[in-house]
Structure formats: C-alpha cells, structure tokens
Amino acid sequence: MEQQQQLQRSTSGSPRSPSSQPYLSVSVTDPVKLGNGVQGYISYRVITKTNLPEYQGHEKIVIRRYSDFDWLRDRLFHNYKGVFIPPLPEKSAVEKFRFSAEFIEMRRQGLDIFVNRIASHQELQHSEDLRTFLQADEETMERLRSQETGIFKKKPADLMQIFKDAQSKVSDIVLGKEKPVEESNLEYEKLKHYIFELENHLAEAQKHAYRLVKRHRELGQSLSDFSEAVKLLGACEGGALGKAFSELGTKSEALSVKLQKEAHQLLMNFEEPLKDYVRAVQSIKATIAERANVFRHQCELAETMKLKEINLDKLMLTRSYKMGEAEHEYKEASYLTLKAENEEATRRFETIVRLMNEEIARFQEQKTLDMGIAFHEFAKGQVRLANSIADAWRSLLPKLEACSTQ
C-alpha cells in the first residue's frame, strides 16, 4: 500500500516541480488519539503544498478527523455526478481494533491515498469543497458537517415517508402496475456486468489475502512458541545436542519475527489494496445507480411532456369557446417550463454518460497499475520469506546431522 500511496502522490505533482508547472500535493500525517470510549477519535495533520492561485499560500496545515474526510466525499458525490468518487478506508466499530497502532496506520495511509486521488483528479482537484477541506479551520469544518442534510440526517418522519414511497414503488413494479425504466444499451450492459463480476472476484481475492495474512501470523506465533520450548529442551540436554537445540530455538525465534513482519507487509501492500479496490468498485456501482435515477427522471419528464403536448393540441382546437386567452397562455407557459426541465435532464444524463466513459478508462488504467504493484509486492515478499526460511534451516543442517550420526 505504501507503493500505491507514493504513486498517488506522484500523480498530483511535487513541491519541487518548476514554478511554471501547477502542483497540488497533500500529506495525511501524525495521527493522534483524542477522547475516550465511544467519544474517542483520531485526528490527523493534513499538509497541503501547492502553487495553484486559488489556494491561500504555498503551504497550509490543518487538523482533520475521519468525519471531515467523510463530509468531503459526500459533497463530491453530490456535486460531481458521473465521476467515480474515491472510496474512504473502512471504519472499525470494535473498540480494541479501532485504536490499535496497526489499524490507525492503515487508516492514515488509506486517507492519504483518498485525498491524493482527489487532488490528482482532473475534475475533482478544482472542487471548492476540496479547497475548503484543505484550508478551513476546525470550527468551520464542524459547522459545515452539522449543516449536512443527507438521508441519515433527516427527521424520522421524513425517513418514514422515503421508505413508504420506495415500498409503494416496489409494490407497483411487482404487481405489474409500473415497469422499471432502464437503458437499452448493449455496451452499458456489458460495463455493468463487468463491474459486478469484478466486485465478486476482488472480494474473493481479498478474502484469501486475509487468510494468507492470518496464516503468516499464526505460523509466526507457532514458531515463537516452538522457539521457547526447544530452548528449554536444549538447556535440559546440555552438550552438543543441547547446543544444537538452542541454535534451533534461536533460528525459530528469528523466523517468527520475519513472519510477523512479512504478515504486516502483506496486509499493507496486498490485502489492503485489494480491499481498497472492492470499495472503489462499490463507488462505481453508486455512480451507476445515480445514472439510472437520472435516466428514469429524464424518461418520466419526456413522457409527461408528450402528454402535455397532446393536451395542448386539444386545447388549441377548443380555444375559442372553452378556454380564455389567459388560461391558454398559462398552459403554454407550463408546457415551456416542463420542456426546459426535460432539456436540462437530458443534458445532465448526457454529461453523466460522457464522464462515466472517461472515468472507466481512467479506472482501468489505474487499476492495472495498482494491481500490478500489489501482486509484484506480494510475489517479492513471498520470495524474500522463502529465501529467509530456506537459509535459516540450511545453516542448521550440518550441526543437526552431526548430532544424528553420533
């Protein structure tokens, strides 16, 4: 994951770049635990270095917590329809894991990657919300978080109405009263199928990567326990056999340390990148769902406009004796308003389609690079570990053979 982090930062420019080249570099550092129990949280220093004119100076340091990063992601998802918003690292609800050194470092790296993906994105790097996140003081950020009006901040009565509307919609579809409106686009269907398949395969690979990490740790612990036992056995035996057992225990202890270290590297550089891409695919699925909503809204407006056109034509025929001039103008104005809404919905949908086409190409390119790094690091780690194990046992063979031939 460290290599992935460096790669993300390199794409966002460097403070050492020539002044004529625009750059925006962000670092998430120095996690500090504040508070206790359920009120406890981790704060981070977010350091921004840039020469972009819209920023306040070349360097800015602010303090942020996880909920601030969450706010940024929600704002970007709301304002940039069609763009694949980078995922956040997961939260841990279990107290003993939430503040463990390993989890804190894993989250810090994940947050660093998250914000640098945004800073290096052609569209997102110009976001006003990103500038606010990177520059505003803590009081401003707290106030902005409290102003959010997402679904999880609505009043219970509002939520009940949302769920009732959704239930009614589902019932209409099930009973055949309404058929879901979907795009009939073969290429888009292939894309959706690929994304769903990719999520399943990545999740399966991540599950087995987790098992590999667990196996390395368990083997490391077993070797540590074996080391203690065989050292005691050596002390009991004495002589050449006792010395051989003592060396066997020392080698086992050293290998235990190597296994634990390799397990940590495997977690950071292999399992976490896989888990990160599972979350990235889920972000893509959220964009797909949003595209479907916009498409349905466009279709509904188009259908309503057709009905309005028919009614308007009928009214035109009866205008002279059934309808006054003012009433006719009102109906016509209503139709024109609906037509403008329909054209805006069409533009929104076309923008989402264009952005998604650009985003999927960028995603594929970045995924190839990141997965290549992750699997390369995995292979290097396994070779390194296998060589260490082989060298350790090989060095003991002459002494153990000498004992066995006496």
Side-chain angles (χ1 to χ4, degrees):
M1 193 167 184
E2 188 66 36
Q3 284 77 8
Q4 185 185 8
Q5 185 177 1
Q6 291 169 359
L7 174 67
Q8 293 295 339
R9 215 182 259 127
S10 69
T11 59
S12 61
S14 164
R16 294 187 294 273
S17 302
S19 59
S20 60
Q21 295 295 322
Y23 66 83
L24 176 60
S25 176
V26 186
S27 299
V28 179
T29 65
D30 302 331
V32 175
K33 180 178 180 292
L34 300 172
N36 296 304
V38 294
Q39 299 298 323
Y41 65 92
I42 305 296
S43 71
Y44 307 87
R45 283 174 42 140
V46 179
I47 305 170
T48 304
K49 297 181 179 181
T50 183
N51 62 357
L52 297 179
E54 57 266 35
Y55 281 81
Q56 302 165 1
H58 292 296
E59 183 171 338
K60 181 75 173 179
I61 300 175
V62 295
I63 303 299
R64 294 290 179 259
R65 55 188 295 184
Y66 184 91
S67 54
D68 295 321
F69 291 85
D70 197 29
W71 170 88
L72 175 60
R73 190 182 188 284
D74 285 347
R75 294 294 302 164
L76 293 175
F77 183 78
H78 180 266
N79 293 326
Y80 289 85
K81 303 300 185 184
V83 174
F84 300 159
I85 308 302
L88 281 167
E90 64 186 357
K91 298 185 72 171
S92 176
V94 182
E95 183 73 17
K96 67 176 182 178
F97 295 126
R98 191 157 66 105
F99 296 122
S100 69
E102 184 174 75
F103 178 79
I104 289 172
E105 174 57 18
M106 202 157 54
R107 175 181 278 186
R108 184 203 66 76
Q109 288 192 18
L111 293 174
D112 190 284
I113 288 174
F114 163 76
V115 74
N116 274 284
R117 279 175 173 164
I118 295 169
S120 63
H121 192 283
Q122 188 175 358
E123 295 276 342
L124 302 180
Q125 66 180 195
H126 300 296
S127 163
E128 184 179 342
D129 294 313
L130 176 62
R131 291 198 297 275
T132 299
F133 173 83
L134 295 176
Q135 298 181 120
D137 56 47
E138 293 174 68
E139 290 183 1
T140 301
M141 283 305 305
E142 186 175 359
R143 186 175 70 253
L144 289 170
R145 288 200 314 271
S146 67
Q147 290 173 354
E148 285 301 290
T149 55
I151 184 170
F152 296 109
K153 303 219 175 156
K154 289 183 180 292
K155 296 177 181 177
D158 295 333
L159 286 175
M160 287 301 296
Q161 188 59 48
I162 290 172
F163 295 141
K164 283 179 181 178
D165 291 344
Q167 187 178 34
S168 174
K169 199 82 169 176
V170 170
S171 298
D172 288 345
I173 293 171
V174 171
L175 296 174
K177 296 179 182 178
E178 180 178 335
K179 293 182 180 180
V181 180
E182 294 183 358
E183 289 183 62
S184 56
N185 183 318
L186 182 59
E187 289 302 314
Y188 185 52
E189 287 301 316
K190 287 180 181 178
L191 171 62
K192 289 195 291 184
H193 178 74
Y194 165 74
I195 291 300
F196 279 81
E197 285 288 299
L198 180 62
E199 181 184 25
N200 291 335
H201 296 320
L202 282 170
E204 188 69 12
Q206 185 268 319
K207 180 177 73 176
H208 291 292
Y210 166 79
R211 290 176 179 172
L212 282 170
V213 173
K214 185 180 179 183
R215 189 188 72 179
H216 279 53
R217 284 178 169 163
E218 289 174 346
L219 181 56
Q221 185 59 51
S222 296
L223 277 172
S224 178
D225 296 340
F226 174 71
S227 169
E228 293 181 17
V230 81
K231 281 180 180 178
L232 290 173
L233 182 59
C236 176
E237 285 290 339
L241 183 60
K243 187 176 180 181
F245 282 166
S246 178
E247 288 193 28
L248 178 60
T250 301
K251 292 291 184 184
S252 297
E253 184 177 13
L255 286 177
S256 170
V257 173
K258 286 183 180 294
L259 275 161
Q260 295 294 353
K261 182 179 178 181
E262 194 56 48
H264 179 74
Q265 293 296 321
L266 192 61
L267 171 67
M268 293 296 194
N269 297 331
F270 190 58
E271 185 195 350
E272 266 305 300
L274 287 171
K275 192 185 293 185
D276 178 61
Y277 264 89
V278 172
R279 294 191 291 264
V281 170
Q282 290 168 351
S283 291
I284 295 174
K285 287 172 65 179
T287 304
I288 288 173
E290 187 63 28
R291 171 171 169 167
N293 289 336
V294 173
F295 179 76
R296 280 194 289 270
H297 180 60
Q298 179 201 11
C299 292
E300 288 169 1
L301 284 174
E303 188 65 27
T304 304
M305 196 172 75
K306 285 180 182 178
L307 294 174
K308 285 273 188 183
E309 287 175 347
I310 293 170
N311 290 335
L312 197 60
D313 289 342
K314 289 180 179 178
L315 289 170
M316 286 289 290
L317 295 174
T318 59
R319 175 178 173 180
S320 57
Y321 58 94
K322 281 190 176 181
M323 186 178 181
E325 184 71 24
E327 188 178 1
H328 173 73
E329 288 178 357
Y330 171 78
K331 295 286 185 182
E332 191 171 19
S334 175
Y335 167 76
L336 292 174
T337 300
L338 182 62
K339 184 179 179 181
E341 289 179 10
N342 182 59
E343 289 173 351
E344 176 59 27
T346 301
R347 280 193 295 271
R348 282 184 60 207
F349 176 71
E350 290 173 349
T351 299
I352 288 177
V353 170
R354 176 182 59 79
L355 288 173
M356 281 190 67
N357 289 338
E358 295 172 1
E359 288 289 286
I360 198 65
R362 185 184 60 82
F363 170 78
Q364 293 283 39
E365 182 180 352
Q366 190 66 51
K367 175 174 63 67
T368 300
L369 203 55
D370 290 343
M371 289 297 99
I373 291 173
F375 279 89
H376 183 242
E377 286 301 308
F378 167 71
K380 277 203 311 184
Q382 295 307 295
V383 169
R384 184 169 56 241
L385 181 62
N387 287 338
S388 297
I389 292 173
D391 290 343
W393 296 141
R394 191 180 294 113
S395 67
L396 282 175
L397 285 178
K399 294 177 182 177
L400 292 175
E401 286 175 358
C403 291
S404 65
T405 56
Q406 287 182 355

